[in-house]
Amino acid sequence: MKVLVVNCGSSSLKYQLIDMTNEEVLAKGLAERIGMDNSRVKHEVTGKEKQVIEKALPDHTVAIETVLGAITDPEIGVIASMDEISAVGHRVVHGGEKFAESVVITDEVIKAIEDCIDLAPLHNPANLMGIAAIQKALPDTPNVAVFDTAFHQTMPPENYLYALPYELYEQYGIRKYGFHGTSHKYVAERAAEMLGKPLEECNIITCHLGNGASICAIKNGQSYDTSMGFTPLDGLVMGTRSGLLDPSITPFLMNNADMTVEEVDTLYNKKSGVLGVSGVSSDFRDIEEAADNGNERARLALDLFVNRVQFYLGGYTALLEEVDAIVFTAGLGENSPRARNRICEGLQCLAIELDEALDTGLRGKEALISKAQKDVKVFVIPTDEELMIARDTVALTK
Ligand code: ADP
């Protein structure tokens, strides 16, 4: 059974074709600059040279058609016809309180995803465009929606509510939803396997540290609390996002810096985080390099980032009472021994201690990196959200 996984942004579309008999990625790629000049599809068949298809992609429908054309092309493709695609799995960012699990897409499901647009005005419309484009190109193929928020629907109210008038939760759905759920769930399942325990018996803190970053406290295998909130702006210091802030900064900036709501929103989402503090870059590699070259603000940006991760690790250890494992994943979490080391350095009080000898040359491999005698195991586990989406798609359409 072959499953196509689609992750649609407003001007981009990432895809993977996975053979689910052995979970092998047959082809993957990215359609970018949809609706703009110089649009193209970067298409890669496993083990072969990357192809770049330069083509006008005025909308997502043309982008999907181009991707399907590449996948079925006699020269650069991997399947003979589109009939070989048994089902399509779609990443959908926001499922609100309606979806605690993945679902087969029906007209009612589309309506419910539309109802969540207010909560994710940038993401859900793009996800819906991807679904519509696939339905047009492959009218007889079942589609499944996998939500970033679904895994966190198990959080108890004391962890998901804000201390605002309760009516705002009832009227507008203002609460913590959490994101990156597919990734937190995937690495938690892998960690449980590596611990040799059923997931339902594991307490795990998963650290998804990429350009966007969040931490999740997983109690008995279920999301119990997470650092992202009503939107993916909350929590950790990220590439360009501020994370946790005093809300009073918003009216202060509007009154004193003459900023509009939109400007403040852009400031928090696009100009803050390690980019804003360092003034160097949103990419942690650039910041580590600048810090090594004596750039004080780059060093400060890394310190702020580490400090906030430690803050959550401490808080979540207290919430969970007993922690079996901590997992590092995503771009920085998987690839930066330096970041892992800095984060764990001051946490001996939480029974967290790395074995630096185990934490070298991992390059995308799963590994246990904590000292053997320590109770809290620390793992590096490369995330695989596409595989998770494909697994749910198979489970729901088989
Ligand atoms: P997202 O999916 O949120 O865009 P990723 O999970 O791909 O992000 O992570 C991207 C980030 O990971 C980059 O911005 C970069 O800062 C960081 N990163 C990737 N590789 C390394 C590395 N070798 N060392 C330090 N940071 C890295």
Side-chain angles (χ1 to χ4, degrees):
M1 176 171 185
K2 290 173 187 121
V3 169
L4 181 66
V5 176
V6 173
N7 179 355
C8 227
S10 55
S11 66
S12 70
L13 185 158
K14 284 191 214 154
Y15 62 93
Q16 280 195 10
L17 183 70
I18 306 178
D19 183 346
M20 292 306 288
T21 48
N22 54 6
E23 298 193 336
E24 187 195 344
V25 177
L26 302 174
K28 64 179 174 183
L30 166 72
E32 53 187 1
R33 299 184 58 82
I34 300 171
M36 302 181 209
D37 293 340
N38 303 321
S39 50
R40 60 191 158 238
V41 174
K42 291 180 181 160
H43 172 73
E44 191 180 355
V45 171
T46 306
K48 289 196 188 157
E49 209 179 309
K50 226 184 231 174
Q51 305 284 327
V52 179
I53 305 161
E54 310 272 356
K55 193 181 162 193
L57 305 172
D59 53 38
H60 288 75
T61 305
V62 180
I64 285 282
E65 282 164 7
T66 311
V67 167
L68 293 172
I71 291 172
T72 52
D73 186 271
E75 273 176 32
I76 60 165
V78 280
I79 51 176
S81 105
M82 299 207 264
D83 297 342
E84 287 185 50
I85 301 172
S86 308
V88 182
H90 298 262
R91 176 191 181 207
V92 180
V93 168
H94 219 306
E97 288 188 327
K98 295 198 173 83
F99 298 104
E101 278 171 2
S102 305
V103 284
V104 173
I105 297 177
T106 59
D107 289 348
E108 292 79 61
V109 167
I110 289 178
K111 170 81 182 50
I113 297 171
E114 283 169 355
D115 289 344
C116 297
I117 285 179
D118 279 351
L119 298 172
L122 297 179
H123 294 100
N124 276 25
N127 302 151
L128 285 164
M129 281 194 275
I131 294 169
I134 286 283
Q135 285 182 327
K136 197 166 168 204
L138 303 172
D140 301 321
T141 308
N143 290 280
V144 168
V146 180
F147 301 91
D148 271 27
T149 48
F151 180 59
H152 301 299
Q153 280 296 302
T154 47
M155 285 189 289
E158 65 272 26
N159 292 350
Y160 72 66
L161 277 180
Y162 295 113
L164 292 167
Y166 193 78
E167 299 76 43
L168 292 179
Y169 163 59
E170 293 176 310
Q171 197 177 344
Y172 297 107
I174 297 178
R175 52 159 283 179
K176 180 189 283 190
Y177 290 97
F179 299 86
H180 290 143
T182 313
S183 174
H184 289 297
K185 189 175 175 196
Y186 174 81
V187 298
E189 285 180 7
R190 287 297 309 140
E193 279 179 44
M194 291 162 87
L195 287 165
K197 269 168 80 166
L199 182 60
E200 313 78 71
E201 291 172 20
C202 293
N203 287 355
I204 303 171
I205 303 176
T206 47
C207 309
H208 178 110
L209 309 179
N211 217 344
S214 68
I215 299 203
C216 184
I218 296 170
K219 190 174 187 178
N220 300 323
Q222 296 188 324
S223 176
Y224 186 66
D225 202 355
T226 190
S227 59
M228 280 181 171
F230 179 57
T231 71
L233 178 61
D234 202 3
L236 297 175
V237 174
M238 302 177 223
T240 62
R241 283 174 246 169
S242 62
L244 206 59
L245 283 179
D246 181 339
S248 306
I249 297 171
T250 306
F252 180 90
L253 286 172
M254 292 175 72
N255 288 328
N256 295 278
D258 207 16
M259 292 178 83
T260 62
V261 178
E262 288 74 25
E263 285 167 344
V264 174
D265 196 44
T266 304
L267 179 86
Y268 292 165
N269 277 289
K270 304 247 165 83
K271 299 182 182 171
S272 299
V274 288
L275 168 70
V277 176
S278 70
V280 171
S281 165
S282 63
D283 192 308
F284 284 91
R285 287 165 286 204
D286 300 337
I287 296 175
E288 288 183 354
E289 195 186 323
D292 285 343
N293 291 330
N295 184 317
E296 268 307 300
R297 272 174 49 193
R299 195 187 53 74
L300 191 59
L302 288 177
D303 288 350
L304 248 86
F305 172 81
V306 167
N307 179 300
R308 192 70 64 79
V309 176
Q310 291 180 328
F311 168 85
Y312 277 99
L313 282 172
Y316 286 169
T317 300
L319 268 186
L320 293 173
E321 294 175 38
E322 267 178 42
V323 177
D324 296 294
I326 287 171
V327 180
F328 287 104
T329 193
L332 180 76
E334 290 168 28
N335 297 306
S336 177
R338 171 186 179 152
R340 297 191 289 257
N341 194 39
R342 282 285 317 277
I343 291 164
C344 295
E345 221 167 35
L347 300 181
Q348 279 94 339
C349 58
L350 304 179
I352 298 168
E353 201 170 348
L354 289 195
D355 184 335
E356 281 185 56
L358 297 176
D359 193 7
T360 50
L362 298 176
R363 274 188 239 104
K365 288 206 204 87
E366 292 180 344
L368 172 72
I369 56 168
S370 49
K371 291 226 162 108
Q373 70 275 23
K374 288 288 165 184
D375 288 343
V376 180
K377 307 289 176 216
V378 182
F379 295 111
V380 176
I381 301 179
T383 193
D384 197 338
E385 288 159 286
E386 288 78 12
L387 179 59
M388 203 68 184
I389 293 172
R391 282 181 184 162
D392 277 10
T393 303
V394 171
L396 287 166
T397 58
K398 198 160 65 174

